[in-house]
Amino acid sequence: MKWKRFTIDTTTEAIDFISDMLNERGVEGIEIEDNVPLTEQETKGMFVDILPELPPDDGRAKVHFYLSADPETRDAVFQCGDAPRRAEEPETSEEELLASVREGLEEIRLFCDAGSCEITCSETEDKDWMNSWKEYFRPFTVENILIKPAWEEVPAEHADKLCVTVDPGSAFGTGTHETTQLCIRQLIRHVKPGMEVLDVGCGSGILGITALKLGAAHAVGTDLDECAVTGTHENAALNGFGEADFQVILGNILDDPAVQEQVGEVRCDLAVANILAPVIMELVKEIPRHLKPGAVFITSGIVEEREKDVVQAFTESADFDLLEVTRQNEWVSVTARRR
């Protein structure tokens, strides 16, 4: 089925007012396009390998909503007002709805800067929006490891690979990002059988699970998002590991004493953190207390412009010896050893 996509040019100031106005007129789903950074609350439940860097917020925004291009099915998409349409009531036409929306926009412009409020229309094909992203996630390899989604079979040509299965959901990290691959390559080099591994910012759990697949005896993960606990345990189960194999702790290891205590002192043989450069630079101060002497700390999530800063944080630390700096495209991984 084809859909008509209507776009309102507006401002970030007016987004909430326009959203409420559209909802009152029976438009049940909208998209918001702006450059406002996500808040901590908004990122809950999101697991991406790394959040995109947005251009500066210039106050401009777009609000998109959809109507069926087929008049006979349009009533399934919106109803006139909050109450369901009674059988004897006429259906709201596209023209009537748009006229009502324009009237609502003019009312909003009386008390806030809503921009031009120009409405443009385009046409798009129907999609299974919740699952369409899956077509871009296919099995791929990082050296001798095959990363595959749960809905795919192991390709015959990769039957000899060590397989890590993930079901990331529409917002979980899939492992395809360069920083995740950089970490996996370092895990291949440094994980030894029987190791205790710490995965800081574990997200979907892919790095801790990879370590377990490589022979680690146990993994402990920390994350700021409560959904990481469920997501990591579900992905661990797909790979044959239980909650006893991969413990996940909710909270910030940098400043939460309860998290620090649960992770434990001088406990881990290896730590991995695929986060962002400023966080890694802080972790250089905290992580040593959780590592055994000689333990390895693998980091990535570092854009090449911040490589110097992260390397400096390690070289100036009294706790680490720098082992290796690796790169993939514009991304960097820094690996060090606990003295």
Side-chain angles (χ1 to χ4, degrees), residues 162 164 187 191 193-197 205-220 232 236 239-242 244-247:
L162 190 65
V164 175
L187 289 172
V191 171
M195 275 188 166
E196 179 78 23
V197 171
I206 188 170
L207 296 177
I209 292 167
T210 299
L212 291 170
K213 284 279 189 172
L214 288 166
H218 183 262
V220 57
T232 295
N239 291 274
F241 301 111
D245 300 306
F246 199 154
Q247 175 191 6

Side-chain angles (χ1 to χ4, degrees), residues 103-329:
E103 181 182 345
L105 291 171
E106 290 304 314
E107 292 175 358
I108 291 170
R109 297 178 73 174
L110 294 175
F111 56 85
C112 82
D113 176 11
S116 71
C117 289
E118 179 184 359
I119 302 177
T120 56
C121 178
S122 59
E123 197 167 275
T124 182
E125 295 289 341
D126 192 14
K127 271 193 172 184
D128 179 2
W129 297 106
M130 289 300 292
N131 292 298
S132 61
W133 64 275
K134 292 183 177 181
E135 66 184 273
Y136 302 104
F137 184 19
R138 292 286 184 261
F140 68 97
T141 60
V142 182
E143 296 192 20
N144 67 320
I145 293 180
L146 172 71
I147 311 292
K148 79 167 192 69
W151 55 89
E152 294 273 357
E153 298 295 327
V154 175
E157 65 271 24
H158 297 307
D160 60 335
K161 299 287 194 301
L162 190 65
C163 180
V164 175
T165 301
V166 290
D167 189 354
S170 59
F172 280 59
T174 62
T176 57
H177 196 275
E178 289 97 327
T179 61
T180 312
Q181 296 183 39
L182 285 165
C183 288
I184 290 174
R185 290 190 180 94
Q186 291 302 304
L187 289 172
I188 292 170
R189 288 159 175 72
H190 295 286
V191 171
K192 301 293 187 294
M195 275 188 166
E196 179 78 23
V197 171
L198 170 61
D199 183 356
V200 181
C202 59
S204 58
I206 188 170
L207 296 177
I209 292 167
T210 299
L212 291 170
K213 284 279 189 172
L214 288 166
H218 183 262
V220 57
T222 67
D223 203 284
L224 301 178
D225 196 309
E226 61 265 26
C227 295
V229 179
T230 302
T232 295
H233 285 158
E234 288 177 349
N235 281 319
L238 288 173
N239 291 274
F241 301 111
E243 295 184 14
D245 300 306
F246 199 154
Q247 175 191 6
V248 186
I249 302 168
L250 179 64
N252 192 341
I253 196 172
L254 285 174
D255 58 17
D256 189 332
V259 175
Q260 295 164 353
E261 182 179 354
Q262 288 183 76
V263 171
E265 303 278 342
V266 197
R267 173 183 178 182
C268 300
D269 303 287
L270 182 146
V272 59
N274 182 24
I275 310 185
L276 292 171
V279 181
I280 292 169
M281 292 162 68
E282 292 300 314
L283 288 171
V284 169
K285 306 169 189 175
E286 172 60 30
I287 291 300
R289 63 186 284 200
H290 305 289
L291 298 180
K292 299 175 184 176
V296 172
F297 186 22
I298 299 166
T299 68
S300 194
I302 307 160
V303 293
E304 57 187 357
E305 292 82 4
R306 300 305 302 272
E307 174 184 339
K308 181 179 178 180
D309 298 329
V310 176
V311 168
Q312 183 176 354
F314 276 107
T315 55
E316 292 182 353
S317 169
D319 296 303
F320 286 107
D321 292 315
L322 189 67
L323 290 182
E324 188 176 13
V325 177
T326 57
R327 301 170 186 84
Q328 185 172 340
N329 297 326

Side-chain angles (χ1 to χ4, degrees), residues 68 70-76 91:
S68 170
D70 180 0
E72 293 183 2
T73 61
R74 188 170 297 135
D75 192 46
E91 294 182 0

Side-chain angles (χ1 to χ4, degrees), residues 11-30:
T11 66
T12 54
E13 179 183 349
I15 284 175
D16 287 342
F17 299 115
I18 293 175
S19 300
D20 290 342
M21 181 269 293
L22 290 172
N23 182 64
E24 289 173 357
R25 284 156 174 77
V27 178
E28 297 179 346
I30 66 169

Side-chain angles (χ1 to χ4, degrees), residues 70-103:
D70 180 0
E72 293 183 2
T73 61
R74 188 170 297 135
D75 192 46
V77 181
F78 68 91
Q79 299 168 334
C80 186
D82 291 331
R85 182 180 59 83
R86 294 191 300 270
E88 66 273 14
E89 292 178 338
E91 294 182 0
T92 305
S93 69
E94 177 185 308
E95 292 75 16
E96 289 171 329
L97 176 69
L98 291 177
S100 179
V101 168
R102 289 190 177 95
E103 181 182 345

